Amino acid sequence: MISEDDFPEGGLTAKQLMDLLEQDPAFRAGRASGEAELEQRVRRWREAEQPLVEDLRREGVCVDSVWDLVNTSEPHPEALAVLMAHLERDVYPDRVREGIARALAVIPASVYWDRLRAVYQKPLGRGAKEGVAVALAVAAAAEHMDAVEALVRDEGNGESRVHFVGAILRIGGMRGRSFVESLRSDPVLGREASALLSK
């Protein structure tokens, strides 16, 4: 067990602290337990997303995880219909649904905008809510301006609304700029609004 006596006068460097912690059996056991727990969660997520991965492979999209589509700059238009259909299924863990939604955060997904909004307005886990908000923001076009404003005004959408601020500036012209100006004093959206308006 580490005690105050182990700390020299003047403090420790980060490396010295880590070396000291590595000598502590309780620290090592806690870290090993945390790593094992994370590995187990990742294994459960991978198992849960297998139906999606199999459907994507049938469409010629060879991935091991939906996150492979999130972490690439390669377009994947053949995957969008599969992703949308699986996002609408309320069977996946939050982390998997978040990945599906973030994989839909591409401009061609604008054809699914109304369906994305319908998913967003249902009860979702925090990660999925953020992911769908990102997808909606990226896929939004000028014709969605009224709907995006309504999503921002709905405080029940929580902090995920911050993703719509940039979209409103992009699609709304002067009207959008004026709307974002009105958000400067908002406790949730004000910082993002001010940052974007100053660019």
Side-chain angles (χ1 to χ4, degrees):
M1 184 72 126
I2 297 173
S3 72
E4 286 184 30
D5 297 334
D6 294 314
F7 292 88
E9 231 178 274
L12 296 170
T13 66
K15 182 180 179 341
Q16 289 170 325
L17 177 60
M18 287 310 297
D19 289 344
L20 192 57
L21 287 171
E22 286 298 331
Q23 296 171 24
D24 184 352
F27 173 80
R28 289 195 314 269
R31 186 183 61 209
S33 172
E35 289 171 357
E37 185 179 313
L38 177 60
E39 285 177 20
Q40 190 175 37
R41 270 187 297 185
V42 169
R43 192 170 28 259
R44 284 195 308 264
W45 294 332
R46 289 289 171 107
E47 289 170 7
E49 71 177 330
Q50 281 313 296
L52 168 62
V53 169
E54 290 169 13
D55 283 355
L56 287 169
R57 287 180 177 170
R58 277 192 278 282
E59 293 299 318
V61 181
C62 294
V63 293
D64 295 318
S65 168
V66 70
W67 287 94
D68 295 340
L69 296 175
V70 177
N71 301 322
T72 182
S73 59
E74 295 292 318
H76 48 272
E78 65 282 7
L80 298 181
V82 172
L83 291 167
M84 189 66 235
H86 280 265
L87 180 65
E88 291 172 317
R89 297 178 187 176
D90 191 11
V91 297
Y92 293 107
D94 184 57
R95 181 71 174 155
V96 174
R97 279 187 105 187
E98 179 185 1
I100 297 169
R102 287 183 183 272
L104 284 161
V106 293
I107 293 170
S110 64
V111 297
Y112 300 113
W113 202 88
D114 290 329
R115 288 169 67 186
L116 285 165
R117 180 178 58 178
V119 171
Y120 181 75
Q121 292 175 314
K122 292 179 179 177
L124 296 170
R126 187 172 189 266
K129 188 82 167 176
E130 291 287 324
V132 179
V134 171
L136 281 166
V138 170
E143 72 241 31
H144 304 121
M145 182 63 183
D146 290 339
V148 176
E149 278 188 15
L151 293 174
V152 170
R153 283 190 183 102
D154 183 350
E155 292 181 8
N157 290 324
E159 293 181 11
S160 68
R161 297 175 297 146
V162 74
H163 299 291
F164 301 127
V165 177
I168 288 172
L169 283 174
R170 179 175 52 81
I171 67 175
M174 291 307 294
R175 172 187 162 192
R177 186 166 188 84
S178 176
F179 181 77
V180 173
E181 286 278 359
S182 75
L183 300 175
R184 280 186 186 263
S185 61
D186 185 282
V188 174
L189 306 173
R191 174 184 264 165
E192 181 73 1
S194 296
L196 291 173
L197 288 166
S198 68
K199 288 184 179 180

